[in-house]
Amino acid sequence: MTYEIRENALMEKDFNRLRVSAGWGQLSAKQGEEALNNSLLTIAVMDEGQVIGMGRLVGDGVCICYVQDLVILPQYQGKGIGKAIMERLIAYAKEHGVSGTHLTLGLFAAKGKEEFYQKLGFFTRPNENRGPGMEISLKL
C-alpha cells in the first residue's frame, strides 16, 4: 500500500486527533495552531485522504532540533511509516544545519519505543557521557 507524505500540511484537528490517539491529551485549538506554526517541519502521512501519522520537528534548526511528535495510528504501525517520517525529519535537519558543524537532534522516546529510535542512530540517556533527560510542566 502506498501512502502520501505531505510536508507542512498538518492541520490542527488532525494534530490533536493523533495526539489523543497516543494518549497525550488534546491541546486547545490555539495551542495546536501555534505549535504547528512554530514548528520547523511537520509531516502528515495520508491514507485515502485521512491523516494516519505525523511527525514534527522543533528547534533553532542550526544547533539543536527535537523530534517533538511522532504518532502513527495503531492500525498502521509496523508498516514503515514511522521510519519514513523520521528519515524526512533527519534529512531536514541535515539539509538546514550549518555545513562543517554539528547539530544535535534529540527526542523523548515513549516508553518501550527506544529500540525503534536506536535503529535510526539515536542513543539512550543516561550513558557514560550524558546525564538523564529532564523536563518540567509549567502551568500557565
Side-chain angles (χ1 to χ4, degrees):
M1 184 170 274
T2 304
Y3 304 104
E4 181 183 359
I5 298 177
R6 295 183 186 171
E7 293 186 0
N8 297 319
L10 186 60
M11 303 297 292
E12 178 272 329
K13 66 179 176 60
D14 295 314
F15 176 55
N16 259 319
R17 181 175 50 81
L18 289 169
R19 283 181 52 83
V20 169
S21 79
W24 298 346
Q26 184 160 337
L27 302 173
S28 73
K30 179 171 178 44
Q31 217 178 1
E33 285 288 338
E34 290 294 324
L36 293 173
N37 290 339
N38 291 322
S39 299
L40 294 173
L41 176 66
T42 65
I43 303 290
V45 179
M46 316 284 290
D47 183 23
E48 297 182 6
Q50 180 179 331
V51 178
I52 53 96
M54 70 167 177
R56 186 165 73 99
L57 191 67
V58 300
D60 62 29
V62 294
C63 296
I64 185 83
C65 292
Y66 291 95
V67 176
Q68 186 56 45
D69 300 302
L70 179 65
V71 179
I72 312 301
L73 290 176
Q75 63 269 34
Y76 289 91
Q77 292 178 10
K79 299 177 186 293
I81 297 167
K83 181 180 178 189
I85 292 172
M86 286 299 297
E87 287 172 347
R88 289 259 182 131
L89 297 176
I90 292 167
Y92 178 95
K94 286 181 177 179
E95 291 166 11
H96 291 85
V98 176
S99 181
T101 67
H102 286 88
L103 180 145
T104 299
L105 181 57
L107 58 82
F108 288 103
K111 196 167 184 88
K113 300 293 185 181
E114 298 88 352
E115 186 178 336
F116 168 79
Y117 295 107
Q118 288 171 332
K119 288 178 183 175
L120 295 166
F122 289 82
F123 59 87
T124 58
R125 293 181 70 164
N127 60 38
E128 60 279 351
N129 297 317
R130 307 271 190 211
M134 300 177 74
E135 66 180 289
I136 185 172
S137 178
L138 302 174
K139 180 148 177 79
L140 306 176

